[in-house]
Amino acid sequence: LDIAEEGKALVNFFGITVVTFFSTLRNPRRLRLISLINQMEQTGLNAVPIVCLLSFLIGVVLAFQGADQLRRFGAEIFTVNLLALSVLREIGVLMTAIMLAGRSGSAFTAQIGTMQVNEEVDALRTLGLDPIEVLVLPRINALLITLPLLTFLADVMGVLGGALMAVSVLDLTFGQFFRQLEDAITLTHFLVGMVK
């Protein structure tokens, strides 16, 4: 019963958010641009260092592990294919989403939870403001804008990390790496990851 109640509350919150989002689209003056830009800075710009670092290191580890396994078959060059497909299609977007969920999600929870305890959310309602419109929509819209950009950055850093490891472990040049990368992937692979 507790799980059903929590599921109902989650669906209710999602529905209210979607309705508020579309009503804001019909009346763009209600869009809070300053709050949106502030949230974009917090969720996007401030997350760049951690996303880049972890994606770079994951690319390094993937290339090292892939080269180690493929060396047994004399197919080390296919480390580039393994790295490119896994980073672009799966790992780049997945790691970015996990990092943002942990970093930004916990920050959102703490901010709004503190406002709820301090009765600031009730004060917003008293002033005639919709808390969903003031507190939730800027955060969701900021994530909708910054998450694809951070995913692209994670893809680039993952491939660069893998390139650095492949050049040092496989005795490839950067030119050979990127030539094999060009043969290994198509725009479709990149777009599949971005859509995810």
Side-chain angles (χ1 to χ4, degrees):
L1 289 175
D2 288 342
I3 292 171
E5 191 66 32
E6 192 170 328
K8 178 185 162 195
L10 186 63
V11 170
N12 184 30
F13 177 75
F14 180 71
I16 291 171
T17 303
V18 169
V19 168
T20 306
F21 178 75
F22 284 115
S23 69
T24 305
L25 285 181
R26 283 186 296 162
N27 189 1
R29 286 182 297 137
R30 294 171 60 185
L31 184 66
R32 301 180 178 280
L33 196 58
I34 294 172
S35 182
L36 174 67
I37 291 170
N38 181 34
Q39 291 302 325
M40 285 173 61
E41 179 185 359
Q42 289 180 15
T43 61
L45 192 61
N46 294 347
V48 166
I50 189 73
V51 168
C52 286
L53 177 66
L54 284 177
S55 298
F56 183 83
L57 294 175
I58 286 170
V60 168
V61 170
L62 271 175
F64 183 76
Q65 294 293 330
D68 188 45
Q69 294 301 315
L70 291 171
R71 185 175 286 122
R72 299 175 185 184
F73 305 105
E76 297 99 330
I77 191 68
F78 292 112
T79 303
V80 179
N81 300 48
L82 171 73
L83 173 76
L85 289 175
S86 60
V87 167
L88 292 180
R89 289 184 76 107
E90 301 293 337
I91 293 177
V93 66
L94 182 66
M95 290 308 297
T96 304
I98 290 171
M99 284 183 268
L100 278 186
R103 187 183 170 282
S104 300
S106 59
F108 293 166
T109 303
Q111 289 170 349
I112 295 175
T114 302
M115 292 179 79
Q116 183 75 29
V117 168
N118 292 337
E119 298 179 354
E120 294 173 40
V121 177
D122 295 332
L124 285 172
R125 285 193 187 96
T126 303
L127 291 171
L129 298 172
D130 183 8
I132 300 292
E133 188 178 309
V134 174
L135 300 175
V136 176
L137 281 186
R139 288 168 169 82
I140 289 178
N141 290 336
L143 285 174
L144 287 173
I145 294 168
T146 58
L147 191 55
L149 298 173
L150 287 171
T151 299
F152 175 74
L153 196 58
D155 288 346
V156 169
M157 293 306 291
V159 170
L160 284 178
L164 186 67
M165 181 52 68
V167 166
S168 61
V169 169
L170 301 177
D171 297 325
L172 293 174
T173 65
F174 279 107
Q176 290 171 318
F177 178 89
F178 287 110
R179 206 170 308 116
Q180 181 68 22
L181 180 69
E182 189 177 350
D183 293 338
I185 60 169
T186 62
L187 183 62
T188 306
H189 298 303
F190 170 72
L191 292 177
V192 165
M194 292 304 287
V195 167
K196 286 180 183 178

